[in-house]
Amino acid sequence: MTEEIEIREGRPDDVPAIEKLYPDAFPDEDLLPLVKELLGEGPNVLSLVGIVGKTLVGHAIFTMCGVGGQPDEVALLGPLAVAPAWQRQGVGSAIVRAGLRLLQTTGTHQVFVLGDPAYYGRFGFEPDDHVTPPYPLPEEWRGAWQSLGLRGDEPPVNGKLSVPRPWRHRALWAP
Ligand SMILES: CC(C)(COP(=O)(O)OP(=O)(O)OC[C@H]1O[C@@H](n2cnc3c(N)ncnc32)[C@H](O)[C@@H]1OP(=O)(O)O)[C@@H](O)C(=O)NCCC(=O)NCCS
């Protein structure tokens, strides 16, 4: 990529651009209700934007979640979107890496994601069978449930992922 990308936390004045980004990046899927609900979760979510010049070109959300009764020690990554004209130029990777670094400095143990292993594997995510997602996944999505430990050799957490209300819709966890 030739132009410099700035990654920073999302602000209220980014919302109109974020609301335009998702339908552009996901023409066949309506993620806006989820995104809007998550942005209303305050400090429970880390909302990161990628800016080139003055244009918002990417966005991701990390939601703080609990496992086995321990609140806020892990995070769930998603959704992640990059504007079509900016895809495959490192924007998504830059946002994910910035989020992982931030979460590491704030003591998050592990990050989970439901996504394509071919993409998330590049950040070190691996299929996870220690933590179960909030709703059972269809068999064909098993390999898409992945996690990444942020605390060195610490053993992975075990249990069921407890998510805040915006993620408690079965449809988000099925094709
Ligand atoms: C998927 C997405 C977030 C990736 O962000 P990006 O900025 O385009 O990707 P990056 O530039 O960081 O990474 C590009 C690399 O990822 C690969 N890649 C991009 N999208 C991919 C996908 N959906 N699956 C697998 N690999 C993918 C590319 O082949 C490229 O690999 P290379 O560097 O070896 O050539 C972005 O393309 C997007 O928003 N797509 C539409 C929405 C979507 O499918 N989101 C899924 C995440 S929930």
Side-chain angles (χ1 to χ4, degrees):
M1 188 164 58
T2 49
E3 287 174 82
E4 193 83 1
I5 174 167
E6 176 199 358
I7 312 292
R8 60 161 171 76
E9 288 197 37
R11 304 186 302 230
D13 62 335
D14 293 318
V15 170
I18 291 172
E19 290 184 358
K20 180 170 182 325
L21 172 71
Y22 278 89
D24 286 351
F26 292 87
D28 302 325
E29 213 176 332
D30 184 9
L31 289 173
L32 270 186
L34 171 66
V35 170
K36 285 183 188 176
E37 274 192 70
L38 287 172
L39 293 178
E41 286 285 307
N44 283 341
V45 303
L46 172 63
S47 160
L48 289 181
V49 295
I51 308 283
V52 176
K54 293 195 168 173
T55 307
L56 188 149
V57 296
H59 178 247
I61 296 179
F62 292 83
T63 305
M64 298 314 295
C65 299
V67 175
Q70 300 294 316
D72 293 346
E73 291 198 335
V74 302
L76 175 65
L77 165 56
L80 164 66
V82 173
W86 288 91
Q87 289 174 6
R88 303 192 169 221
Q89 296 171 62
V91 173
S93 300
I95 296 174
V96 171
R97 291 207 163 93
L100 296 175
R101 274 195 305 272
L102 262 169
L103 292 174
Q104 193 166 32
T105 59
T106 51
T108 301
H109 291 230
Q110 227 170 314
V111 179
F112 294 83
V113 72
L114 182 62
D116 188 342
Y119 185 67
Y120 290 100
R122 73 188 52 221
F123 309 109
F125 283 91
E126 291 180 347
D128 186 290
D129 54 10
H130 294 273
V131 169
T132 49
Y135 297 92
L137 293 176
E139 190 56 36
E140 68 265 30
W141 278 20
R142 280 282 184 79
W145 180 241
Q146 300 152 78
S147 75
L148 171 66
L150 298 181
R151 289 184 153 198
D153 291 335
E154 189 175 271
V157 289
N158 285 280
K160 185 174 178 179
L161 189 74
S162 49
V163 290
R165 189 178 300 272
W167 282 108
R168 286 187 220 143
H169 299 285
R170 186 176 288 274
L172 294 170
W173 302 88

